[in-house]
Amino acid sequence: SHTKSIRKKQFSVLHLVTWNVGTASPPPDVTSLLQLNSLGPTMDMYVIGLQEVNSRITNFLSDLAFDDPWSIFFMTVLSPLGYIKLSSVRMQGLLLLIFVKHVHLPFIRDVHTHYTRTGLYGYWGNKGGVTIRMSLYGHTVCFINCHLPAHMENTEQRLDDFEKILELQFEGENIPSTLDHDILFWFGDLNFRIADYGIHFVRESINNKRYNLLWEKDQLNMAKKKEAFLQEFIEGPLQFKPTYKFDLYSDVYDTSEKKRKPAWTDRILWRVKSLCQHASKEGEFSEEEQTISVTLNNYISHMSYGISDHKPVTGTFGLELKPLLTDPLITLNPEGEWSAEHDVLIRYSAVPEFPSSAWDWIGLFKVAFRHVNDYVTYAWVEDDEISSNKDSKQVYMSAAEIPDAGGEFLLCYYSNNLQAIVGISQPFQVIHLEALINFGWDFYFFCFHMHLNTGVCNWVNSMGDGSSSNCKKCICWLTASKRIC
């Protein structure tokens, strides 16, 4: 039974990025940042937290109407690789994006976003936190991207602000509070500094790669020893250079008049609720009891990026989850051959407990679609239904809506009640209409040639029953219904 329980676990790789981009535009390449050339397993989920995204009034208002340049940039990079933007939330300069592989979509539910302003008395939102939470294979997971107050002397303010962000309540029924989530990730420009030591000692320790000499005076490490609410958060070892403050486009620390002391301002921490609950109990708990485990695979900075005075930091995590959900709510697939020549059919079935709605729809998406609204066309599951039985239902899409150019597509069922994609088909081909017509004409001329040569054409029944008939006038099998025999 022990082996069985291990086998039943869902293993996912999550790559988390935090980066204060200093109002800069996206860099030309993020291959190393996203570890796209990594020899390890491909990522199942990307969580990207940015701070100081350009938030001038004009930029912010235009970004409210359209996706901001950073969101577009990451969608352009990740959608061809099979990732969809699951959710995003923006508050002024704070932006949080989550991308997932298509295969996980039916098992991600109850996605909600939230933001908490703390800067300038909470009015403008230049500091604070943005949050996305979800149910992943039945387990609750929450991500908080923060930008906390700056400067050495504001440690208490940073802690107060984070406590305020943790107190947020999501709208909706049965959504746990932030600290009641099974897994909580906390990251961002947390702005904690290295106390007491002078700049020369700090820089010398960094130059000699003796980072451990600085750990005990890191304000976050110090706070974790004192503050009960922080003690349950885990962080990997800081085995990389402090990520602030650098001259732009260099790996040289601040040479301006201010000469800021280097600091690990950019951090990634996490908290597993079950570990906290078991911490007070004696002894270890067995692997059968442990339904969730989080493993940090690497925690690094990326020195090659110079668009900002901060270097980005990434953490790659292995999430081992015992799935509480194993079957998608909806199973769907295209029926027959798809082209713009005729109306097309979709068949789907739902599990008995599925909370369907008249507002549910099925979208036709290109395989490299960017987000849920990036559909080519859609059908309402009720209005466009053409048949139904106890096992499945059939919906049609109009030929006029199917792309003439064809290509590779997939179908997604969107649940209005759950505000999520709850079913996704395998990729399939829509036949290029022009190719279809050209093939038809080629076949017509072939038949016509046969007619000239023999005076008769052997037409094979297009219904596929193998029968044949002799035709005096022949139009190809593609338009067999219009043939004259």
Side-chain angles (χ1 to χ4, degrees), residues 409-449:
F409 292 84
L410 43 77
L411 296 165
C412 294
Y413 186 113
Y414 184 83
S415 163
N416 185 66
N417 286 330
L418 299 177
Q419 295 283 295
I421 290 171
V422 293
I424 186 166
S425 75
Q426 291 295 318
F428 63 96
Q429 284 295 132
V430 173
I431 297 171
H432 192 304
L433 186 59
E434 193 177 323
L436 204 60
I437 292 167
N438 288 342
F439 180 72
W441 279 111
D442 289 347
F443 202 84
Y444 171 79
F445 286 120
F446 170 75
C447 289
F448 185 69
H449 176 72

Side-chain angles (χ1 to χ4, degrees), residues 125-303:
N126 59 327
K127 294 288 192 294
V130 287
T131 306
I132 299 175
R133 64 84 56 200
M134 68 188 71
S135 163
L136 177 65
Y137 289 91
H139 299 277
T140 54
V141 186
C142 188
F143 301 93
I144 305 179
N145 171 26
C146 290
H147 193 184
L148 300 179
H151 307 306
M152 181 73 70
E153 65 275 13
N154 285 331
T155 303
E156 289 304 315
Q157 186 65 53
R158 287 189 271 279
L159 296 173
D160 289 348
D161 283 6
F162 181 50
E163 274 199 282
K164 180 183 175 183
I165 292 163
L166 284 176
E167 287 165 7
L168 71 90
Q169 294 295 322
F170 290 96
E171 291 177 19
E173 293 179 24
N174 304 319
I175 300 177
S177 65
T178 312
L179 289 172
D180 273 331
H181 281 73
D182 295 323
I183 308 173
L184 172 61
F185 287 94
W186 171 39
F187 49 95
D189 179 359
L190 307 185
N191 253 322
F192 290 102
R193 307 302 168 104
I194 297 169
D196 300 339
Y197 296 142
I199 188 168
H200 296 295
F201 177 77
V202 170
R203 288 194 173 187
E204 193 64 25
S205 301
I206 294 166
N207 291 338
N208 294 325
K209 296 187 178 179
R210 299 188 69 188
Y211 309 127
N212 59 309
L213 298 179
L214 308 174
W215 292 346
E216 66 176 25
K217 293 297 181 180
D218 171 79
Q219 290 177 330
L220 179 54
N221 286 343
M222 292 162 75
K224 280 181 70 182
K225 291 175 183 172
K226 294 180 187 172
E227 303 287 342
F229 78 100
L230 288 181
Q231 286 167 8
E232 295 169 342
F233 283 92
I234 306 165
E235 184 181 20
L238 297 166
Q239 299 282 17
F240 50 86
K241 281 185 172 187
T243 50
Y244 174 83
K245 176 182 182 177
F246 288 90
D247 291 346
L248 295 185
Y249 300 102
S250 80
D251 55 5
V252 176
Y253 284 107
D254 187 14
T255 58
S256 71
E257 282 182 21
K258 289 183 179 176
K259 281 197 171 55
R260 298 265 189 220
K261 187 162 55 167
W264 284 292
T265 53
D266 310 281
R267 311 285 277 271
I268 300 171
L269 297 92
W270 73 98
R271 176 185 184 275
V272 180
K273 183 181 163 191
S274 61
L275 293 181
C276 305
Q277 289 172 340
H278 282 85
S280 57
K281 297 180 184 178
E282 287 185 23
E284 291 293 316
F285 51 102
S286 71
E287 206 150 355
E288 278 85 353
E289 288 180 284
Q290 190 177 353
T291 58
I292 298 172
S293 71
V294 178
T295 307
L296 178 66
N297 297 339
N298 65 45
Y299 185 35
I300 57 175
S301 67
H302 297 260
M303 294 295 291

